[in-house]
Amino acid sequence: MKFNVAGSLRASRKQAFTLAELMITVSVIGVIALGGVYASSQVIARRDFANTAAAELVGWLEAISARSGSVGPCRVQFTTGNALEPGATFASLQTSDARCTPEPNLRLPSVYGNRVYDVAVTYTPVGTTSLAFTSRGGVVAGNVQATVKIAVSNQLPLRCVRISFGSISTGINNATGNVAQTCTVWERT
């Protein structure tokens, strides 16, 4: 049996990658990775904007709840709609008593890029259109419960704020950005 060194080298050269092939492969992998990073950053940005809107709503409602114990009923109305611009009022105090809160209107936080908010509110009992925090320790009057649902550009995630008798809870649904749905995980604030 004869061993052909030149033939062995020729066979291994045929199986190797060229520098151009390796550069193209690395470039394609880089483009795919960049696309994944961009998509992830968009989800993170929408999550941050939705979280900020929900946190500001919770803080505003807790301030009203705390003050209503000394000043009497403070009635809150929510604005709903799709494609609400940043800076639009999405909650307002219906009473003119400034003792309920120094800021009678709560506006949607600013966002960068071409993003808008989707806000929906469900009330229990059906037909209710606002809630009133009473002088009995800032609880919601009439066993009314409201769930405010917030999404950015109708995409993931959905954030919720539930206001019920004596409590405010926040929730999230990472499977949808549709404000017609509801949050699946809840925590008490």
Side-chain angles (χ1 to χ4, degrees), residues 12 59 134:
S12 66
T134 70

Side-chain angles (χ1 to χ4, degrees), residues 4-173:
N4 185 348
V5 174
S8 295
L9 288 176
R10 219 176 290 130
S12 66
R13 282 186 189 139
K14 288 181 183 177
Q15 295 175 351
F17 292 106
T18 66
L19 181 59
E21 290 171 329
L22 287 173
M23 289 177 63
I24 289 171
T25 302
V26 168
S27 297
V28 168
I29 290 171
V31 167
I32 291 170
L34 184 60
V37 168
Y38 176 77
S40 295
S41 70
Q42 296 301 306
V43 170
I44 290 168
R46 286 191 308 270
R47 182 200 66 206
D48 290 347
F49 295 134
N51 286 345
T52 299
E56 287 182 8
L57 178 60
V58 167
W60 189 74
L61 291 170
E62 285 177 343
I64 291 171
S65 177
R67 290 177 176 215
S68 67
S70 62
V71 300
C74 298
R75 187 168 296 280
V76 174
Q77 176 78 40
F78 299 101
T79 302
T80 62
N82 292 329
L84 294 174
E85 293 292 327
T89 298
F90 83 114
S92 57
L93 195 60
Q94 288 185 313
T95 55
S96 60
D97 193 341
R99 294 178 296 172
C100 289
T101 181
E103 182 57 49
N105 295 313
L106 180 64
R107 300 190 182 285
L108 289 166
S110 298
V111 297
Y112 67 87
N114 189 21
R115 293 185 175 92
V116 292
Y117 287 92
D118 300 307
V119 178
V121 180
T122 55
Y123 289 98
T124 305
V126 175
T128 307
T129 59
S130 64
L131 6 127
F133 291 90
T134 70
S135 57
R136 292 183 6 230
V139 297
V140 179
N143 293 324
V144 173
Q145 177 176 306
T147 303
V148 181
K149 299 176 257 184
I150 305 165
V152 176
S153 298
N154 201 29
Q155 295 183 1
L156 301 175
L158 176 66
R159 290 292 285 163
C160 302
V161 176
R162 183 171 49 204
I163 308 101
S164 59
F165 190 79
S167 71
I168 299 174
S169 304
T170 57
I172 192 164
N173 186 338

